[in-house]
Amino acid sequence: MPRTTVLESPGCPPLRALTTDILGLVKVVEARTNPAGAAKVVETWGEPDASRAIVAASLADRAADPVLAMARKNGVVELLNPLNGDALAAVKTVGPASDDGSAEGDPLVALHLFTRQASDSMLGTFIACTDKGKASIRSIMKENAASGSDAGPSTTWDVCSGGNVQFCSVDHGESYAMFGGKGIEVNLWDISSCSKTWSAKSPRANSLGIFTRPWFTAGTFLCKDDHRKIVACTNNHQVRLYDTSLQRRPAISVDFREAPIKAVAADPNGHNVYIGTGTGDLASFDMRTGKLLGCYIGKCSGSIRSIVRHPELPLIASCGLDSYLRIWDTNTRQLLSAVFLKQHLTTVVIDSHFSVEAPVETNSKQPEFLVEAEAEVRKEKKSKTIEEDEAEAEVQLEKKKKKKKESKTVEEDVAEVRKEKKKKSRTTEENEERHSDEMCTTKRRKSGERSKCMKKKSKKQHAA
Amino acid sequence: MAKEKKRKQPASDSAPPQGDEGEGRRERKGKKAKKDKAEAILPSQIKNKDKRSELHAKLKREKKAEKRKLARERSQAIRRAEELGEQPPERQVPRTIENTREPDETVCRPDDQELFAGNDADEFNDVLKQHIIPKVLITTCRFNSGRGPAFIEELMQVIPNSHYVKRGTYELKKIVEYAKNRDFTSLIVVHTNRREPDALLIIGLPDGPTAHFKLSKLVLRKDIKNHGNPTSHKPELVLNNFTTRLGHRVGRMIQSLFPQDPNFRGRRVVTFHNQRDYIFFRHHRYIFETKESKVASKDKKAKTSESKSQPEKQVICRLQECGPRFTLKLLTLQHGTFDTKSGEYEWVHKPDMDTSRRRFFL
């Protein structure tokens, strides 16, 4: 018999991720509790067009009114509603410098959309950086979003004089931005005053007196509440930790394999980072000691372009040139799910508020609850054979009415339960995955029980 | 055969009773008991080598006979169906490693609109849509000797509009720049090791991917028996079995080496046949011939009566192999041109992918 190996993926908890690719498409991948496990492509937004390839994307991950910003190859920054894919705004040029058709020579490379909102009239504020180092902050007002001609206040500054910027990262408090690239040392900028507060110094020449030119490919802030610790990755496969309060040279520098490091993401616990290389190796490091915690193994064969950590669940998602979106468990370092998305992917973002809101999910679940409820009702009926036919008919009629009401109440209950669970899961991060699994099962059970109780009550009432 | 069987069977039957009397008794009861016994005792359970090999030979003989019987039954069924004018029974398809290949979600489907959009956007589109005529630069590694030069000479006859440039001591990145400036569309590097070509690097220009192949089983033209000499016509191209997205991409890359308007008068075919991730290269000339005498003589051997009734002229196709013969295996596919230090790979062969014989990537 042919022996085929089946990749046993344990399945991932409910999750919603958005990926962008080189054809300018945005694909929404969702994993649900029902049917459990595999993640699937739910929606695809946009028309395939190579000239509108998405080079960078950023999600303002808010419970209410989330916005997805995408930087296209032709210099347009678009704002989307990540829930339904409606285009909110499109800004043609990045800065005043690129007005005169220089967008081709100076493409966008990095984009960050701010999560905090200055006012309700503001649609969003983003910081974009071009290849030549022109960083600009622009905010888009809701009124003139459609026209996109003038988009609120904007500031522009030059990050560097020469070299190519390759990444831009903004800290959790969103008051500092970091830039780096080919020939550019890591720079820390104060966003509010647009002034450079710190820049790195390249490490000393090695024992042979060879001095390597700076070439940073990825970087991130290590801690949520501390903008002073920076992890930057270089093209010559080094992971460096800079402490801006301490010195300008790296505090820790670790080599990882042979391939250039292309992506990095920090863990919310404040000391772990996840890195991805140009040959498709994914690993996690503990930056307190600089030790390799382990590699993520699972037939990943193409360069990793983007890694993102789920803010609550112990998950990371990675994507890259092998056109797979892979979701990994950070505790066990196992592959939970892999989705083939057909194009070279550039960025992945996770919508962490998926399980809380998700009107789609509850809708899909509703019929099941009804079926379950009906089944239970039938069982009860079998036990009570004394009831007469007419009475039964009446009961059924009323039940139907009640069911409708109940289904609504059930939904609310589910939402409540979820919120409660969410809070709990936030407090206990360690066994989160188990929790989430339980979440899926207990939720249903509880709701089922509740509906049962309700039904009994209704029956009693009727009998009375 | 039947006689032999009869002769040998008693001998083999008589052998076991020496060891055990109880079994000998059972045998006399009938054939059923014999079969049970054969199932019960495996050759590996017998310690005496003579007896073990005897039993083994017997089992093998039985198996062979069984097989022959089944084959005969099948052929009879087909003949019977033919006589009755019915549909012949379905032919059994042997189970091979390829047709039991692991299901792969990346296999290209003809109804995939994204695939075509991706094709239109990729690096080879200009060449394949005939906006640009392909122009290929062939070079070698630094120390080229042995069969390398001969191989390159033949490769230049295979690929039209190809130019050889001496490698010298230039870096490959410099050569890529050089080729870009001169509007080459592809760059082929033949790498030799110990005077044997062992790797092939195909670089799409100006920004196309870089494919690194392992080259093996190289047979040059002069070592092929009854080989032909290719003409300078533009060849036809046959690409077989490039099914997955990766295979599709590699296939398009190979396609972009050749001009897209073949001279059919030249009757030259270049074949890249993918089987189990190995790409076999062959180069043929073909000819359609109307030959009466040969067809008649062949038929005479088989059925003398029918040959007269058949039309005497029959078009047959003959193949003559020319040019080199070699096998490629994809090792890496790199995004962008050759860059080992800071390159991003679209696909790298890693040992942890080789956990199944039935998983193929092309």
Side-chain angles (χ1 to χ4, degrees):
Chain A
M1 277 302 290
R3 238 174 261 158
T4 51
T5 54
V6 179
L7 187 71
E8 75 290 340
S9 54
C12 46
L15 180 86
R16 182 182 164 101
L18 292 96
T19 62
T20 60
D21 59 34
I22 56 155
L23 281 188
L25 303 173
V26 180
K27 288 178 182 170
V28 186
V29 177
E30 282 183 10
R32 292 189 173 161
T33 49
N34 169 42
K40 270 184 289 182
V41 183
V42 185
E43 278 172 287
T44 306
W45 300 326
E47 288 297 311
D49 180 5
S51 65
R52 298 176 70 237
I54 299 170
V55 289
S58 174
L59 179 76
D61 196 7
R62 290 178 292 238
D65 196 14
V67 179
L68 175 73
M70 307 178 298
R72 294 195 186 265
K73 200 175 156 192
N74 53 7
V76 177
V77 175
E78 280 183 19
L79 299 188
L80 272 186
N81 184 350
L83 300 178
N84 50 18
D86 291 342
L88 298 175
V91 187
K92 174 72 187 94
T93 51
V94 186
S98 50
D99 266 334
D100 45 345
S102 62
E104 286 77 34
D106 197 11
L108 289 170
V109 285
L111 181 75
H112 179 87
L113 186 68
F114 291 100
T115 316
R116 56 143 198 244
Q117 259 174 322
S119 61
D120 286 340
S121 62
M122 207 80 92
L123 197 60
T125 311
F126 62 83
I127 177 168
C129 189
T130 63
D131 187 46
K132 299 267 170 61
K134 286 195 174 54
S136 60
I137 298 178
R138 302 192 103 189
S139 9
I140 297 173
M141 313 296 281
K142 266 181 184 160
E143 303 92 64
N144 54 13
S147 64
S149 54
D150 186 34
S154 68
T155 44
T156 310
W157 74 93
D158 277 342
V159 173
C160 59
S161 50
N164 307 343
V165 173
Q166 294 206 327
F167 73 91
C168 156
S169 173
V170 176
D171 75 326
H172 192 74
E174 301 191 324
S175 50
Y176 294 94
M178 166 174 56
F179 300 91
K182 187 178 180 182
I184 303 170
E185 286 284 359
V186 176
N187 295 320
L188 194 65
W189 289 73
D190 192 340
I191 289 174
S192 53
S193 65
C194 294
S195 58
K196 192 196 270 188
T197 57
W198 180 85
S199 75
K201 205 173 174 184
S202 46
R204 289 192 177 85
N206 65 6
S207 60
L208 299 172
I210 293 169
F211 190 76
T212 47
R213 208 165 161 253
W215 187 345
F216 289 92
T217 47
T220 179
F221 288 90
L222 188 59
C223 308
K224 263 186 180 177
D225 45 353
D226 184 11
H227 67 271
R228 284 170 301 189
K229 282 184 180 167
I230 291 172
V231 177
C233 299
T234 67
N235 191 55
N236 42 10
H237 44 89
Q238 277 185 333
V239 187
R240 292 183 188 163
L241 173 70
Y242 288 97
D243 194 339
T244 58
S245 59
L246 195 68
Q247 58 184 17
R248 290 178 63 198
R249 291 214 162 96
I252 296 174
S253 179
V254 197
D255 277 11
F256 179 66
R257 298 200 178 168
E258 307 282 289
I261 294 162
K262 293 287 179 187
V264 65
D267 197 277
N269 67 10
H271 47 80
N272 286 4
V273 291
Y274 307 98
I275 60 161
T277 70
T279 51
D281 299 317
L282 187 65
S284 66
F285 275 90
D286 187 343
M287 288 320 290
R288 289 174 298 191
T289 55
K291 269 191 180 164
L292 176 69
L293 294 174
C295 290
Y296 293 76
I297 303 164
K299 291 187 216 128
C300 185
S301 57
S303 168
I304 291 169
R305 284 271 178 94
S306 168
I307 304 172
V308 64
R309 169 70 158 78
H310 194 286
E312 280 130 31
L313 301 174
L315 290 177
I316 53 172
S318 73
C319 72
L321 292 185
D322 64 345
S323 43
Y324 271 97
L325 170 71
R326 290 166 204 269
I327 296 161
W328 312 81
D329 190 332
T330 55
N331 293 334
T332 60
R333 285 198 289 275
Q334 266 187 340
L335 182 64
L336 294 179
S337 187
V339 195
F340 181 59
L341 294 173
K342 297 181 182 175
Q343 307 299 337
H344 293 168
L345 305 172
T346 52
T347 329
V348 56
V349 289
I350 288 182
D351 183 2
S352 65
H353 298 277
F354 169 59
S355 55
V356 180
E357 55 198 355
V360 191
E361 198 189 9
T362 45
N363 281 342
S364 66
K365 270 189 176 178
Q366 200 173 322
E368 264 219 355
F369 281 122
L370 282 179
V371 170
E372 273 179 31
E374 263 187 5
E376 281 163 10
V377 169
R378 270 173 207 161
K379 274 180 197 170
E380 282 175 12
K381 259 179 217 162
K382 274 179 190 173
S383 63
K384 293 182 183 179
T385 48
I386 321 151
E387 283 183 356
E388 293 177 14
D389 293 359
E390 288 174 21
E392 252 184 21
E394 273 179 39
V395 169
Q396 271 183 344
L397 270 179
E398 252 192 42
K399 246 174 235 163
K400 270 179 192 171
K401 282 177 196 169
K402 290 241 166 164
K403 242 181 258 164
K404 277 177 192 171
K405 282 178 193 172
E406 275 161 25
S407 66
K408 279 173 196 170
T409 53
V410 163
E411 265 180 56
E412 287 165 13
D413 288 350
V414 169
E416 277 176 16
V417 167
R418 259 180 214 162
K419 275 174 192 170
E420 284 166 21
K421 285 275 164 182
K422 259 264 144 93
K423 278 172 196 168
K424 275 181 195 171
S425 66
R426 270 176 204 165
T427 52
T428 60
E429 274 195 359
E430 287 178 1
N431 294 334
E432 254 174 342
E433 211 217 348
R434 280 181 203 164
H435 255 284
S436 63
D437 282 354
E438 280 174 11
M439 220 160 71
C440 318
T441 49
T442 49
K443 243 184 271 163
R444 241 197 250 166
R445 250 182 245 152
K446 277 191 179 175
S447 55
E449 279 168 14
R450 278 191 193 184
S451 62
K452 227 183 201 174
C453 296
M454 301 279 275
K455 235 148 267 163
K456 274 176 188 170
K457 270 182 197 170
S458 69
K459 239 175 210 179
K460 274 173 195 170
Q461 282 171 3
H462 182 74
Chain B
M1 276 303 292
K3 273 185 185 177
E4 278 176 21
K5 265 186 197 170
K6 270 180 192 171
R7 237 179 270 154
K8 278 183 184 174
Q9 266 177 351
S12 59
D13 286 348
S14 62
Q18 291 171 352
D20 200 328
E21 279 183 41
E23 282 189 5
R25 255 180 248 154
R26 233 181 274 157
E27 268 179 37
R28 278 166 222 150
K29 282 177 188 172
K31 281 185 180 176
K32 276 191 182 176
K34 260 188 222 169
K35 274 187 185 172
D36 289 346
K37 196 214 90 189
E39 279 172 11
I41 292 184
L42 294 169
S44 58
Q45 288 169 336
I46 301 170
K47 285 180 180 172
N48 187 322
K49 185 172 181 182
D50 267 358
K51 285 170 187 167
R52 186 172 65 233
S53 53
E54 207 173 359
L55 182 61
H56 180 75
K58 185 192 147 201
L59 288 177
K60 219 171 173 186
R61 220 181 300 122
E62 280 171 3
K63 214 174 172 182
K64 212 173 171 185
E66 185 74 11
K67 226 174 169 180
R68 209 175 290 135
K69 199 178 128 196
L70 284 175
R72 205 182 302 132
E73 275 173 13
R74 273 200 300 273
S75 66
Q76 275 173 357
I78 291 169
R79 212 175 297 149
R80 212 178 302 131
E82 265 180 13
E83 281 170 10
L84 296 172
E86 289 170 357
Q87 281 278 324
E90 273 186 33
R91 283 185 77 90
Q92 289 180 324
V93 182
R95 196 188 284 139
T96 60
I97 283 187
E98 284 148 287
N99 62 22
T100 54
R101 159 183 193 164
E102 275 182 20
D104 193 345
E105 58 197 337
T106 68
V107 168
C108 299
R109 291 192 188 78
D111 58 337
D112 191 354
Q113 289 306 315
E114 265 190 66
L115 172 67
F116 298 116
N119 281 352
D120 289 339
D122 77 356
E123 298 93 339
F124 320 111
N125 191 40
D126 280 342
V127 175
L128 300 189
K129 288 266 173 71
Q130 300 190 23
H131 301 313
I132 306 175
I133 298 162
K135 190 179 168 191
V136 181
L137 188 140
I138 298 179
T139 186
T140 59
C141 59
R142 284 196 181 166
F143 307 105
N144 181 36
S145 63
R147 290 210 290 172
F151 176 53
I152 284 171
E153 202 173 292
E154 292 184 8
L155 208 58
M156 284 178 66
Q157 288 178 353
V158 172
I159 303 170
N161 200 10
S162 59
H163 307 264
Y164 172 69
V165 171
K166 264 193 187 172
R167 172 70 186 264
T169 54
Y170 293 107
E171 285 171 27
L172 204 50
K173 279 187 188 174
K174 289 267 171 62
I175 292 179
V176 168
E177 281 302 311
Y178 170 91
K180 262 189 211 172
N181 293 338
R182 278 159 186 76
D183 296 328
F184 282 94
T185 58
S186 310
L187 170 63
I188 298 179
V189 182
V190 179
H191 189 268
T192 54
N193 185 21
R194 300 181 177 188
R195 277 167 254 106
E196 256 321 276
D198 73 336
L200 201 67
L201 204 64
I202 301 178
I203 305 174
L205 295 174
D207 44 18
T210 304
H212 182 206
F213 294 101
K214 183 177 81 180
L215 192 148
S216 56
K217 302 270 158 50
L218 173 68
V219 181
L220 294 179
R221 183 181 305 144
K222 70 174 193 337
D223 300 325
I224 296 172
K225 271 188 184 174
N226 299 327
H227 67 84
N229 287 317
T231 51
S232 59
H233 293 90
K234 291 175 189 168
E236 297 161 45
L237 190 64
V238 178
L239 295 168
N240 278 344
N241 271 342
F242 291 94
T243 51
T244 63
R245 289 303 285 251
L246 178 68
H248 190 76
R249 199 159 159 74
V250 171
R252 277 176 73 87
M253 185 172 198
I254 291 169
Q255 198 184 347
S256 73
L257 294 177
F258 292 89
Q260 306 302 306
D261 47 342
N263 295 126
F264 291 104
R265 280 182 64 85
R267 306 188 316 276
R268 247 180 95 189
V269 201
V270 171
T271 313
F272 288 87
H273 174 85
N274 171 35
Q275 194 166 358
R276 301 191 196 171
D277 281 356
Y278 286 92
I279 303 168
F280 296 94
F281 173 89
R282 297 289 183 272
H283 182 200
H284 290 101
R285 282 165 70 197
Y286 64 89
I287 192 160
F288 292 115
E289 281 183 340
T290 50
K291 279 210 169 178
E292 306 102 53
S293 57
K294 263 203 170 178
V295 175
S297 67
K298 266 188 186 171
D299 278 349
K300 262 175 199 169
K301 278 175 194 169
K303 295 159 197 171
T304 45
S305 58
E306 278 183 32
S307 66
K308 287 167 191 171
S309 62
Q310 266 189 353
E312 287 191 353
K313 280 189 180 178
Q314 201 177 21
V315 180
I316 59 161
C317 179
R318 291 201 299 130
L319 273 183
Q320 187 180 32
E321 189 167 352
C322 43
R325 183 197 285 177
F326 57 87
T327 307
L328 298 173
K329 183 155 200 268
L330 184 67
L331 298 179
T332 62
L333 183 68
Q334 193 182 347
H335 191 250
T337 55
F338 183 80
D339 190 352
T340 47
K341 270 271 171 73
S342 63
E344 277 186 291
Y345 290 89
E346 286 176 28
W347 187 81
V348 187
H349 184 263
K350 288 183 180 172
D352 65 337
M353 296 167 172
D354 293 334
T355 50
S356 164
R357 303 168 67 201
R358 297 169 199 276
R359 186 183 306 130
F360 303 113
F361 300 100
L362 290 183

